[in-house]
Every structure is written in C-alpha cells, then in structure tokens.
C-alpha cells in the first residue's frame, strides 16, 4: 500500500486481526471441524440450499486461495451475504475516516511510554521500512488499525476475500446482502474499548503474529481458529468482550440468515472465527433446524 486509504476493508481487517494476534500460541488439536471452510446449509423451509464459507479478511496474494468448489458454489447462488457491505459512498468513507482518528489531533506518542513508543516506531521504520512522514500519519489513527496497516505495508500485494467475492457476485449479477452496517461494526469496537488498546512491547512484532494466524487458516482448521480466538479473549478480565465480538453478533445474525435463506440460495462469507464453538454459526443454525454439512474435498 503506497498511501493511506481509509476504507471499510481496513476496518474489517482490524476487527479480526487485532483481537486474535495478541500473544497468540497456535493450538495443536484437530477435531471434526478440521480441514474445511465450505459448508452446505439445507432445511425443509428452503427451496434451494445455501452455503457458508469461513474467511480471513486479509491474505498475502502469494498465499491467497479459493478452491474451485467454493468458486462454483458462489457462482451458482442467487445472492452473496457478507458481514458488512464493503461498498461505501464517499460520504460514508469520510464519516468512517473521522472515527478512525485519535481525538484532538493526538498521536500514539501521547498514549505510550517512551520505551514502548520508540520500539513501535523502530519496528515500523526499520523492520517495515515505512517512511517517517507516513508513520506520523499512521500513528494519528486509533491503535486497533496498526496490525492491518503493518500487513498492508509489509506484503507486496494483498487480497481481501470480501472484495474478491463482491467482484464475482457483481459480475454474475447476484444480490448482495450484509449482516451488519459499518456503523454497527464501529460501535461494537468502541463499546468494547479495544479501539484504543495500546500494544505492549510483546505485541509490537505484528507480522510474526499474523504469519502464525495465516498458517492456521491455511490448514482450514476451524476448531483451531476458534480455540485461538477463545484463548485471547479469555485473557481479558472483562468477559463481556467475547460476547460483544463473537457470540452476540452470531446470535444477531441467525434470524437475518434465516430470512435470507428462505428466499434465496445465498453464499454466506464471514470470518472463520465465527463458525465453530457452541455459539458459533454452525451450531446455532443446527439449533434452528438446519442441516449443516461439510463440503470438504
């Protein structure tokens, strides 16, 4: 990324990556949800099945993959359903850009110890090779953006699954649905207080942490991804954060998905961390009477 672009993709990436990279150690267990990202959803109340796909919101281009089964399933659907509509108007982009900024013209230097700030600055300047003028602009943004910005600077090219799916959907004239508005996603982050979370010295080396997350995603192991998210959220004293970030959102999505799937064959693409677990989308759909089966190949 050669210049700072405020877009919904930055927000989406930050929501997932920030909450999953803190002090992460990769789990090693393998269970029934290992090895598959694509699921078929069927029930008596549907005329056609729908499909569920677990994404990671940012992927280096060299590692990006989309199997032929997922591609053909998307093309055969009548709609695409995403967490959020990534096509923002200019007015919406301006509004979101304002919410990304630290208040009163402050920078991260105003919130960090000199030692931690110098370490973070050095990482961006020396390791990521970002120019001073750009770092100064980046450090005026709320800190939950740091991981996505670091990744977009470090990798030569990146892909975003939501953008790829949206492009395919438009080409094939599919309806595009969203489960949340961009405003709602911002409200969730701000309500948790984690938009202002300052990384400590152990959390500054962001690319290494992202690489660990990426490697787990490449295994397509939903349970490992869920354990990964769960372990990080469990470290916070405020247990309501997990509910705000995952469980409440999953539960809010189910009636919306139910309504969509009764009228359309939809390809539903959401962050893979939302799929597994007792309050994950797969289990919640089963509780509603749906059959959710792996399309692992």
């Amino acid at each position: 990324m050669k210049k700072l672009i405020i877009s919904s993709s930055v927000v989406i990436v930050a929501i997932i990556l920030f909450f999953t990279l803190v002090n992460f150690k990769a789990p090693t267990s393998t269970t029934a949800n290992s090895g598959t990202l694509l699921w078929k959803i069927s029930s008596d109340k549907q005329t056609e099945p729908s499909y569920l796909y677990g994404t990671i919101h940012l992927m280096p281009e060299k590692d990006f993959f989309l199997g032929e089964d997922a591609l053909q399933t998307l093309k055969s659907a009548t709609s695409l359903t995403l967490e959020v509509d990534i096509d923002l108007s200019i007015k919406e982009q301006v509004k979101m850009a304002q919410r990304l900024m630290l208040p009163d013209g402050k920078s991260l230097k105003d919130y960090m110890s000199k030692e931690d700030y110098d370490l973070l600055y050095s990482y961006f300047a020396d390791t990521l090779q970002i120019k001073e003028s750009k770092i100064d602009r980046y450090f005026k943004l709320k800190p939950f953006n740091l991981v996505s910005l670091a990744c977009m600077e470090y990798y030569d090219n990146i892909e975003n699954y939501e953008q790829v799916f949206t492009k395919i959907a438009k080409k094939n004239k599919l309806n595009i649905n969203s489960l949340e508005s961009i405003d709602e996603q911002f409200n969730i982050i701000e309500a948790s207080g984690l938009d202002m979370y300052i990384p400590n010295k152990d959390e500054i080396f962001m690319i290494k942490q992202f690489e660990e997350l990426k490697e787990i995603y490449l295994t397509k192991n939903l349970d490992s991804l869920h354990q990964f998210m769960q372990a990080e959220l469990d470290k916070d004293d405020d247990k309501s954060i997990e509910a705000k970030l995952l469980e409440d959102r999953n539960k809010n999505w189910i009636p919306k998905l139910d309504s969509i799937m009764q009228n359309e064959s939809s390809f539903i693409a959401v962050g893979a961390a939302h799929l597994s677990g007792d309050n994950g989308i797969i289990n919640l759909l089963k509780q509603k009477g749906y059959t959710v089966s792996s399309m692992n190949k």
Side-chain angles (χ1 to χ4, degrees):
M1 188 174 72
K2 301 305 180 185
K3 58 184 178 179
L4 178 58
I5 301 174
I6 304 299
S7 70
S8 59
S9 62
V10 172
V11 179
I12 294 167
V13 170
I15 290 170
I16 298 298
L17 294 188
F18 173 75
F19 298 122
T20 55
L21 290 177
V22 181
N23 297 321
F24 166 62
K25 294 184 179 179
T28 57
S29 64
T30 301
T31 66
N33 284 341
S34 175
T36 183
L37 296 172
L38 181 62
W39 299 75
K40 181 179 179 180
I41 307 169
S42 56
S43 75
D44 293 339
K45 54 188 174 183
Q46 295 168 270
T47 56
E48 297 288 341
S50 286
Y51 302 90
L52 179 65
Y53 191 86
T55 71
I56 185 173
H57 300 298
L58 175 151
M59 181 67 79
E61 187 178 60
K62 64 182 179 63
D63 297 307
F64 183 85
F65 67 92
L66 182 60
E68 187 64 25
D69 54 346
L71 181 60
Q72 292 306 318
T73 300
L74 171 58
K75 289 181 178 179
S76 68
T78 57
S79 74
L80 169 66
T81 300
L82 301 173
E83 290 183 31
V84 66
D85 185 357
I86 64 173
D87 286 336
L88 299 180
S89 67
I90 296 298
K91 182 178 180 180
E92 288 172 320
Q93 290 182 47
V94 171
K95 180 180 178 181
M96 292 305 107
Q98 293 171 343
R99 293 182 75 171
L100 287 173
M101 303 296 293
L102 286 168
D104 305 320
K106 292 183 178 180
S107 78
L108 293 178
K109 192 172 185 177
D110 297 307
Y111 297 88
M112 302 178 72
S113 69
K114 185 179 187 306
E115 178 185 3
D116 285 354
Y117 179 82
D118 289 346
L119 185 61
L120 179 64
Y121 197 99
S122 175
Y123 181 71
F124 270 65
D126 300 333
T127 302
L128 301 182
Q129 296 289 300
I130 304 175
K131 293 181 180 179
E132 181 178 347
S133 59
K134 186 179 283 188
I135 295 174
D136 290 342
R137 295 201 301 274
Y138 284 172
F139 284 11
K140 290 184 181 297
L141 295 172
K142 291 181 177 180
F144 85 101
N145 297 283
L146 289 175
V147 177
S148 54
L149 293 172
C151 289
M152 288 189 281
E153 288 286 354
Y154 179 78
Y155 298 107
D156 290 334
N157 294 290
I158 60 170
E159 290 281 7
N160 178 288
Y161 277 94
E162 286 73 19
Q163 291 175 342
V164 171
F165 289 149
T166 296
K167 184 176 180 180
I168 295 170
K170 288 182 175 180
K171 183 177 181 180
N172 288 272
K173 296 181 171 54
L174 306 184
N175 297 327
I176 299 178
N177 309 306
S178 60
L179 299 172
E180 295 172 335
S181 69
I182 199 71
D183 257 336
E184 287 173 321
Q185 290 201 338
F186 260 110
N187 291 341
I188 291 165
I189 299 173
E190 292 172 350
S192 72
L194 291 173
D195 58 323
M196 293 298 294
Y197 180 86
I198 304 295
N200 63 47
K201 62 182 179 181
D202 296 321
E203 301 163 1
I204 282 171
F205 304 103
M206 301 167 187
I207 299 302
K208 179 178 181 295
Q209 294 169 310
F210 175 74
E211 282 289 318
E212 292 174 330
L213 167 63
K214 182 194 74 177
E215 290 305 314
I216 291 185
Y217 183 77
L218 291 174
T219 70
K220 305 180 184 179
N221 189 323
L222 292 183
D223 287 329
S224 286
L225 285 166
H226 177 74
Q227 292 168 32
F228 162 47
M229 190 73 154
Q230 184 73 52
E232 297 314 312
L233 291 169
D234 283 348
K235 292 175 183 177
D236 198 287
D237 292 334
D238 184 358
K239 299 306 179 184
S240 68
I241 289 179
E242 177 185 357
K244 291 175 183 175
L245 297 179
L246 287 178
E247 295 178 0
D248 288 353
R249 295 172 71 207
N250 291 347
K251 291 173 183 177
N252 288 338
W253 292 348
I254 295 302
K256 297 176 183 178
L257 291 173
D258 189 41
S259 176
I260 290 169
M261 292 188 296
Q262 288 187 46
N263 296 290
E264 302 170 340
S265 172
S266 193
F267 186 92
I268 303 156
V270 299
H274 289 278
L275 270 58
S276 193
D278 291 341
N279 290 301
I281 291 175
I282 291 172
N283 194 49
L284 293 175
L285 285 173
K286 289 179 178 178
Q287 291 176 14
K288 287 281 290 184
Y290 287 95
T291 298
V292 186
S293 54
S294 166
M295 295 183 66
N296 187 22
K297 292 184 179 181

